[in-house]
Amino acid sequence: MADTPQVALDERVKEISPLRRALIRPELGGIIGAVAVFTFFALLAHDSGMFNAQGVMNWSTVSAQFMIIAVGACLLMIAGEFDLSVGSMIGFAGMMVAIFGVTLGWPMWLAILVTFAICIAFGALNGYIVVRTGLPSFIVTLATLFILRGFTIFIPQTIERKTIIGGIREAAEGDWLAPIFGGKIGGSLFQWLGDAGVIGTFSRGNRAGQPVVDGIPMLIVWAIVLVIFGHILLTRTRFGNWIFAAGGDAQAARYAGVPVNAVKIRMFMFTAFCATVFAVCQVMEFGSAGADRGLLKEFEAIIAVVIGGALLTGGYGSVIGAALGALIFGVVQQGLFFANVESSLFRVFLGVILLLAVILNTYIRRLITGER
Amino acid sequence: MKSIIKTMALTAAVAAAPVIAAADGHGDDLNYILVSHAPDSDSWWNTIKNGIALAGEQLDVTVEYRNPPTGDLADMARIIEQAAASDPDGIITTLADYDVLSGPIRAAVDQGIDVIIMNSGTPEQVRELGALMFVGQPEYDAGLAAGQRAAADGVESFVCVNHVISNTVVAERCRGFADGLGVELGDSMIDSGQDPAEIKNRVTAYLTANPETDAILTLGPTSADPTIQAVKEMGLDGEIYFGTFDLGTEIVNAIKDGTINWGIDQQPFLQAYLPVVVLANYDRYGVLPGNNINSGPGFVTADGLEKVEEFAGEFR
């Protein structure tokens, strides 16, 4: 939304005070929520280790996981579509890396690249079916959810006779591409912090003297990069305007010359890309792929996006908001453990927060758009 | 008069206060976390929850239960990391996938937290991670104990009905049983598949082809239920020696009517209860058992059924 210099005073342009303009943004709900959540846990769980180095790394990692899939889900949702196959895609992509890299013994970089190609192709297929048939994406991707999950269980069972394939870390030794997903950066900085006594160090074992947090996982780097990329794409490019237009009113956008179908298919591909990034980071970190990985992750992505203020019906939302939603989600999920809340009540809290966030976001959106 | 009574009551209360406090606890505030790999939908773990609740109450310690809601092991790894960050006195966790969980568990041990592995994992893996001990049912040992029991009852040959042939860990039960009997496993293990009708037919076929078979061993309700039917249809119920792993409604009924001699329970209650006891006493008095604890095999026979039925789903 570039500001055009106003030459003459136009009665159609309403004067808004700078403060109000700064306040009424789609991210506002996310910002308020994030502040509220941090305040809540600072009061309730300040001495539980939630805010020491390990605790911060823990909820940051979980939030980063949500963020990676939320960016894709957010852009797709603004373009007016849904992807319910994200969770299955995570399981499937991880399994593909394991099959290619461990079972078939390909070099890890090739396994990763081929996995990306296959998964993005599945995303394109999702998008193609949606725009060709005009079926709701909810239904199409629900089918993909089952198809991919089925393959994820079937393929390793036929080849390996088991549903968990390990040995990925060993297979990725010395690979040039694997560390981009599974590595850590800033090790020396954390070592220095540990030596200086700022963060805790291991007291025993073969890692004695090493800091408890030994670097920032690439997962977090990916999350930040994707959020920045998504934000710039959405707010600073022509393509970003097309995304809004495609989700706002597809027919009107077509009349205005926006390639709505191409935009939607590309967003499905981007969502698949995000899911694959998530999956590859996960298998590189944990060294094994399992057939049940990623269950229900698609809903977690959608929840993060909705907490961040996007509209389920498309045409409205922000990537920064989705990132804040992911942060809130991650902090709440891990924070409830730190605060020693009975784990069976976890979903109750989640539901309440989701509801509050949506009500707040609806109110803010009405302020912005003036709709009633 | 009233005021005197009040004063006396107050005095009594003040005098008794330290006594109450002493009776109320050990002056410590021990806090343990049990992390499982089970999704919320898995009812087997309800017994575990009840077990730690009871142990916490009896020993005056706090024990929390945590699990990944969908059973996603990667989420479980994050929960173990989280548990370590909150610096509890001990962590009790399963080792459902060594690749995924070894990193977080080792980090917790290095940080100085006592870890006990329960339910799944092998003694070798437990040693490797530097955990205190393993509390569970080692499959080979359970099979061996069952085989020795059968040998004492005069069994000399057997058939093992295996419905999860791809699971090498479960196959150890049959190997242990054969060693307990002192016979070769050889062709005694049949791959029955998962389909009830197929299982029934294969067991019938085997028993027809090998009429001298003394005993049947099934590895869970999946293979036990159709095998019970096969045995009854052949008129061998009560005639052939029949043992099974795990309990289920059909199995309990078959134990009642004498078709099955015993069922093997891995006693999840003990897998939850004992680690808390061990950790609490280790923290308080520095005492530690010198070996892993086998929570099973617990043999359930017609005599012990009463308690099993009474506490089914709660403590059994």
Side-chain angles (χ1 to χ4, degrees), chain A residues 48-50 52 54-55 58 61-62 65 157 161-162 164-170 201-207 212 219 282 285-288 292-297 300 333-334 336-338 340 343-344 346-347, chain B residues 31 33 40 49 62 64-67 69-75 77-87 96-104 106-115 130 165-167 191:
Chain A
S48 66
M50 182 168 173
N52 65 18
Q54 261 178 302
N58 184 259
T61 311
V62 173
Q65 286 184 336
Q157 276 219 307
R161 303 201 75 171
K162 55 189 183 192
I164 296 181
I165 300 182
I168 297 174
R169 233 186 319 230
E170 291 71 21
T201 50
F202 285 119
S203 59
R204 62 185 194 192
N206 46 13
R207 294 174 63 187
V212 285
L219 184 84
Q282 189 180 68
E285 179 182 0
F286 294 129
S288 78
D292 58 354
R293 295 282 162 78
L295 274 176
L296 294 185
K297 285 276 181 281
E300 291 172 355
Q333 180 172 316
Q334 300 307 105
L336 289 176
F337 288 136
F338 279 107
N340 288 345
S343 65
S344 42
F346 165 68
R347 285 186 168 74
Chain B
N31 172 18
I33 296 169
D40 289 351
K49 285 187 197 171
T62 316
E64 288 156 40
Y65 176 86
R66 284 171 200 175
N67 68 311
T70 57
D72 190 327
L73 292 179
D75 288 349
R78 298 268 177 255
I79 292 174
I80 294 175
E81 285 170 359
Q82 184 280 321
S86 66
D87 206 19
D97 179 347
Y98 187 80
D99 277 325
V100 176
L101 302 176
S102 56
R106 198 174 283 124
V109 171
D110 289 343
Q111 207 187 305
I113 299 171
D114 299 325
V115 175
I165 200 83
S166 57
N167 186 328
D191 173 7

Side-chain angles (χ1 to χ4, degrees), chain A residues 76-100:
Chain A
L76 183 66
M77 208 186 280
I78 294 171
E81 302 292 345
F82 259 117
D83 191 347
L84 292 184
S85 64
V86 169
S88 297
M89 185 79 81
I90 289 168
F92 178 76
M95 196 50 83
M96 287 299 102
V97 172
I99 298 271
F100 294 142

Side-chain angles (χ1 to χ4, degrees), chain B residues 253-268:
Chain B
N253 289 338
I255 293 175
K256 250 194 239 166
D257 70 23
T259 309
I260 293 184
N261 298 57
W262 40 256
I264 287 177
D265 184 13
Q266 61 169 307
Q267 302 180 110

Side-chain angles (χ1 to χ4, degrees), chain B residues 136-187:
Chain B
Q137 174 176 278
E139 303 298 358
Y140 175 83
D141 294 0
L144 187 72
Q148 285 162 342
R149 186 185 176 112
D153 292 338
V155 171
E156 283 165 7
S157 63
F158 80 110
V159 56
C160 166
V161 187
N162 189 343
H163 63 280
V164 277
I165 200 83
S166 57
N167 186 328
T168 47
V169 178
V170 174
E172 288 288 285
R173 295 172 172 180
C174 298
R175 212 167 56 81
F177 194 82
D179 289 354
L181 284 180
V183 300
E184 284 294 313
L185 181 55
D187 300 335

